[in-house]
């Protein structure tokens, strides 16, 4: 079992550009959540996807959007990048509908905006 | 609005000592998580606590949950250097998961 995988590992973009980050959940997991972790801070919840729909959303602007595919993998898109979007972006997965199962985090994508 | 507060935010302690990290949250929750993060790494799940009075232990770490007080604790027994890391608690309500700011733990040999 590969666990949660994310790509790319690192990314450098320029202000105003757009970026797409990808996540494959752990085998058997159908719920995917995305988090932004700025340096020295705790992860901030961006949104959660289940059955290809956004189920919950944190306090992030519409520049942050996502998608979940039928195979449960997910993408995070950020438009009009700002310097403040520089962070570690984490994806986590867990089985939907299970109250006891923990969520597992991927290794993250480190985004630098210059 | 769900808020999660951890204290202390920084903790430097000697090996062999005991200490407790506290996690307070503002509203009822479905689950409470504890995670460990090493520098530059992702999050490692330590515990999931679901119900009032839940207690879980793994090695030198023990977590407990008091849903009435909206308080969870992570207790470290006889600390060793390998436990140096940042520890986060996170509260899950209606699938919206809010993290505390983390406790940076430094254990001196």
């Amino acid at each position: 079992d590969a666990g949660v995988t994310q790509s790319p590992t690192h990314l450098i973009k320029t202000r105003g550009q757009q970026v797409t980050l990808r996540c494959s959940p752990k085998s058997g997991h159908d719920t995917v959540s995305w988090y932004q972790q700025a340096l020295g801070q705790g992860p901030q919840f961006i949104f959660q996807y289940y059955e290809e729909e956004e189920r919950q959303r944190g306090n992030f602007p519409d520049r942050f959007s996502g998608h979940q595919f039928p195979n449960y993998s997910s993408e995070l898109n950020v438009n009009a990048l700002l310097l403040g979007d520089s962070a570690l972006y984490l994806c986590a997965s867990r089985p939907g509908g299970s109250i006891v199962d923990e969520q597992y985090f991927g290794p993250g994508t480190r985004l630098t905006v210059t | 609005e769900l808020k999660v507060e951890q204290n202390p935010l920084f903790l430097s302690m000697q090996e062999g000592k005991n200490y407790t990290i506290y996690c307070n949250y503002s509203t009822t929750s479905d689950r409470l998580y504890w995670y460990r993060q090493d520098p530059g790494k992702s999050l490692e799940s330590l515990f999931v606590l679901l119900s009032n009075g839940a207690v879980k232990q793994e090695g030198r770490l023990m977590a407990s949950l008091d849903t009435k007080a909206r308080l969870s604790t992570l207790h470290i027994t006889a600390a060793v250097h390998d436990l140096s890391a940042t520890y986060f608690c996170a509260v899950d309500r209606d699938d919206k998961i809010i993290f505390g700011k983390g406790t940076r733990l430094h254990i001196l040999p």
Side-chain angles (χ1 to χ4, degrees):
Chain A
D1 182 4
V4 181
T5 60
Q6 292 185 244
S7 64
T9 305
H10 296 89
L11 202 52
I12 299 174
K13 289 285 190 178
T14 304
R15 273 182 302 174
Q17 285 187 317
Q18 179 264 346
V19 69
T20 297
L21 310 181
R22 295 176 176 81
C23 171
S24 291
K26 184 177 169 65
S27 178
H29 290 187
D30 55 9
T31 300
V32 174
S33 299
W34 286 93
Y35 298 83
Q36 179 195 66
Q37 186 177 23
L39 199 61
Q41 302 295 316
Q44 300 289 313
F45 176 74
I46 303 175
F47 39 54
Q48 184 184 85
Y49 277 85
Y50 173 67
E51 292 187 341
E52 301 180 52
E53 290 193 0
E54 184 181 289
R55 184 155 71 174
Q56 270 286 5
R57 188 178 181 92
N59 295 326
F60 279 80
D62 292 344
R63 298 187 297 110
F64 290 77
S65 63
H67 188 76
Q68 186 178 33
F69 299 94
N71 66 353
Y72 309 124
S73 66
S74 177
E75 288 182 349
L76 164 65
N77 300 293
V78 187
N79 294 323
L81 284 167
L82 304 173
L83 295 179
D85 295 332
S86 295
L88 179 67
Y89 287 85
L90 296 164
C91 168
S93 73
R94 69 174 178 84
S98 169
I99 195 170
V100 300
D101 284 307
E102 61 196 277
Q103 61 175 354
Y104 291 84
F105 281 82
T109 294
R110 186 163 296 281
L111 173 65
T112 302
V113 182
T114 63
Chain B
E1 181 186 351
L2 176 56
K3 293 184 179 179
V4 180
E5 291 187 358
Q6 281 183 243
N7 69 84
L9 297 182
F10 298 96
L11 179 57
S12 182
M13 56 193 290
Q14 296 285 338
E15 275 192 330
K17 299 291 186 182
N18 303 332
Y19 209 80
T20 300
I21 300 170
Y22 297 88
C23 175
N24 290 92
Y25 54 98
S26 58
T27 65
T28 57
S29 72
D30 299 319
R31 304 177 190 82
L32 188 136
Y33 304 92
W34 283 98
Y35 291 95
R36 167 181 172 149
Q37 187 175 39
D38 292 298
K41 303 292 186 181
S42 186
L43 293 158
E44 174 191 354
S45 177
L46 297 174
F47 303 107
V48 183
L49 303 171
L50 300 176
S51 57
N52 189 45
V55 177
K56 291 193 174 180
Q57 183 164 6
E58 181 72 33
R60 300 176 188 273
L61 301 177
M62 183 175 71
S64 66
L65 179 62
D66 181 344
T67 57
K68 293 178 182 177
R70 296 176 186 162
L71 170 69
S72 180
T73 61
L74 180 66
H75 187 73
I76 303 155
T77 301
V80 292
H81 181 67
D82 286 352
L83 290 179
S84 295
T86 299
Y87 293 85
F88 292 97
C89 70
V91 175
D92 183 345
R93 185 181 180 191
D94 297 331
D95 292 312
K96 192 170 182 178
I97 300 160
I98 306 300
F99 278 75
K101 292 185 176 181
T103 297
R104 190 174 299 175
L105 178 63
H106 182 51
I107 298 170
L108 304 169

